[in-house]
Amino acid sequence: MTLLAETTAAATAFHRGRRLRRTPALRALVRETRLHPSMLVAPLFVRPGQGVREEIGSMPGQHRLSVDELAREVDRLLESGVRSVLLFGLPESKDPDGSGAWADGGIVQAAIRELRRSAGDDLAIIADVCLCEYTTHGHCGIVRDGSVDNDATLPLLARAAASLADAGAEIVAPSAMMDGQVAAIREALPETPILAYAAKHASAFYGPFREAADSAPAFGDRRSYQVDPANGREALREIAADLDEGADMIMVKPALPALDIVAAAAAATTVPIAAYQVSGEYAAICAAADRGWLDRGAAALESLTAMSRAGADVLVTYFALEAAGRLREIDR
Ligand SMILES: [Zn+2]
C-alpha cells in the first residue's frame, strides 16, 4: 500500500464535522435553525396611571406600564421587528370573581383599544385570558368551599375572552388551565383565533411573574389545575384536548424545562406551537449575567434558538426587544 492510500484511508475512517465549521460563512451556510424578530412575542404588563414605567424587581429591564407608556414600548418593539405582544393586566381593584377581567373599561381592554389606534394592523395583540390577576384570592378561577370551581369558572373566562376580542385583540390566550375553557371560549367566539396554554406545568419558574402581575395565590397553590412537571404524556393529552375543543395554536410553558413537550407536540400536531420562556427562565439568565457568570445576550439567543430547534414556531420571551436587536446585528 502506498503512503497516499494509507493517508486517505485514515482520513476517511472517521467523521470530520470540523470541515463545515471552519469559517463564519460556512457555519452560517449550514445553520439549521434561524431566528427572526417576527417569531418573537413580547409579554407586557399594563397598569393604571399616566406616564408610569415601574420596574419589576425580580425581572430587571421589565416594567409595569401605564397605557401611554405601553404604546411607546410597542413602538420600540415594532421598530425592532417584533410584531406581537402578549398582554397582562394589573387592575385598579380586585374582587372574588375577578370581574375586572371582563370589564368593558378594564385595564387590558383600554390598552388594546389604544394599541389598535396607535399601531393598527402592524401589531398582533394576544390577550391573556385568566382571572388570577383580577381575583382577591389570586386563583385562576372562582373559589367555592376552599377550592377552584372549574365549571362555574368557564362562563367567566368566555366572558373575559369576548370582552378582549371586542376591544380588538387578534388572539385570545386562555391560561387558567380549567378543563373545557377552550370549548367555552370557542362557543362564544367562533371567529377569533385561540392560543391555548395547553401544556402548562405547575412550574417553580413562574415565581417572578407573580410579583410582576401581583397574582400570587392567597392560599394553596395551582397544582390542582396545572400539569405536574413530571408528566409529559399528560401534557400531550392536554394539547390534544384543547385542539379537539377548537384551539388554533397551542402553548408549552415553561420553555427550556419542557423542550421535550415542544418537540413531541411539533411531531404530533400540525398547528403553530408557541413556547413561553417564562419569568424565572428570564430572571435566571439576568441574575447570572449580572454577576458576570453568563453572557446575557448570547445566553438569551441560545435559549430561544433551542426553543425553535425543538419545534416552536412562536417564541414568547421577555428578551424579545433585545433579541431582535441582536438578530439584526448578526444579519449585518
Ligand atoms: Zn391564572
Side-chain angles (χ1 to χ4, degrees):
M1 202 184 262
T2 68
L3 183 63
L4 179 65
E6 268 171 43
T7 315
T8 311
T12 53
F14 51 85
H15 166 65
R16 287 192 179 272
R18 293 181 62 191
R19 283 193 292 248
L20 291 175
R21 294 177 202 146
R22 198 174 58 81
T23 67
L26 278 172
R27 293 193 292 273
L29 180 70
V30 299
R31 187 157 296 137
E32 297 173 32
T33 308
R34 292 168 211 272
L35 301 183
H36 191 273
S38 61
M39 308 163 72
L40 306 175
V41 178
L44 296 172
F45 301 94
V46 58
R47 52 150 292 162
Q50 183 83 27
V52 184
R53 197 174 166 83
E54 178 188 16
E55 188 159 38
I56 300 160
S58 52
M59 299 173 70
Q62 303 299 310
H63 300 81
R64 299 185 198 92
L65 303 165
S66 54
V67 172
D68 55 325
E69 286 293 327
L70 179 80
R72 264 191 277 280
E73 186 72 15
V74 165
D75 284 345
R76 277 190 282 272
L77 285 162
L78 287 172
E79 217 164 282
S80 76
V82 177
R83 307 186 57 180
S84 308
V85 294
L86 172 60
L87 298 183
F88 298 95
L90 290 106
E92 197 91 60
S93 63
K94 305 187 181 206
D95 61 33
D97 288 350
S99 67
W102 60 82
D104 194 44
I107 183 69
V108 175
Q109 285 81 351
I112 293 170
R113 289 198 175 94
E114 174 57 24
L115 294 180
R116 277 276 72 88
R117 198 194 57 75
S118 65
D121 286 344
D122 287 344
L123 179 73
I125 302 175
I126 308 171
D128 180 81
V129 180
C130 199
L131 302 186
C132 54
E133 296 132 56
Y134 304 93
T135 52
T136 38
H137 45 73
H139 277 286
C140 301
I142 57 173
V143 172
R144 297 252 165 93
D145 303 325
S147 72
V148 173
D149 186 330
N150 189 90
D151 294 14
T153 300
L154 299 179
L156 306 185
L157 292 171
R159 206 167 155 187
S163 160
L164 294 160
D166 191 51
E170 264 86 19
I171 299 176
V172 292
S175 63
M177 288 302 283
M178 293 297 116
D179 296 327
Q181 63 182 10
V182 172
I185 292 171
R186 177 48 77 222
E187 201 187 329
L189 294 172
E191 303 284 338
T192 306
I194 298 175
L195 164 57
Y197 283 67
K200 185 174 181 180
H201 280 143
S203 172
F205 288 91
Y206 302 153
F209 178 93
R210 288 174 195 153
E211 182 205 337
D214 185 28
S215 63
F219 64 91
D221 54 41
R222 300 197 173 103
R223 277 182 280 190
S224 70
Y225 39 103
Q226 297 176 351
V227 179
D228 183 341
N231 295 355
R233 285 181 300 142
E234 186 190 354
L236 295 177
R237 180 73 191 83
E238 288 286 351
I239 290 169
D242 283 358
L243 291 175
D244 279 349
E245 291 178 25
D248 301 278
M249 306 167 69
I250 58 105
M251 171 106 81
V252 176
K253 182 184 176 183
L256 288 202
L259 284 190
D260 58 324
I261 314 295
V262 175
T269 72
T270 53
V271 297
I273 295 170
Y276 193 154
Q277 181 179 49
V278 300
S279 59
E281 300 180 75
Y282 172 80
I285 291 175
C286 294
D290 259 5
R291 296 185 172 202
W293 293 348
L294 279 180
D295 174 332
R296 177 183 168 113
L301 270 198
E302 184 178 325
S303 56
L304 294 170
T305 302
M307 290 152 63
S308 174
R309 193 188 66 230
D313 308 289
V314 174
L315 311 176
V316 185
T317 174
Y318 299 98
F319 287 114
L321 186 62
E322 56 184 284
R326 207 168 157 114
L327 287 173
R328 291 213 305 204
E329 260 169 49
I330 291 170
D331 232 22
R332 256 182 247 125

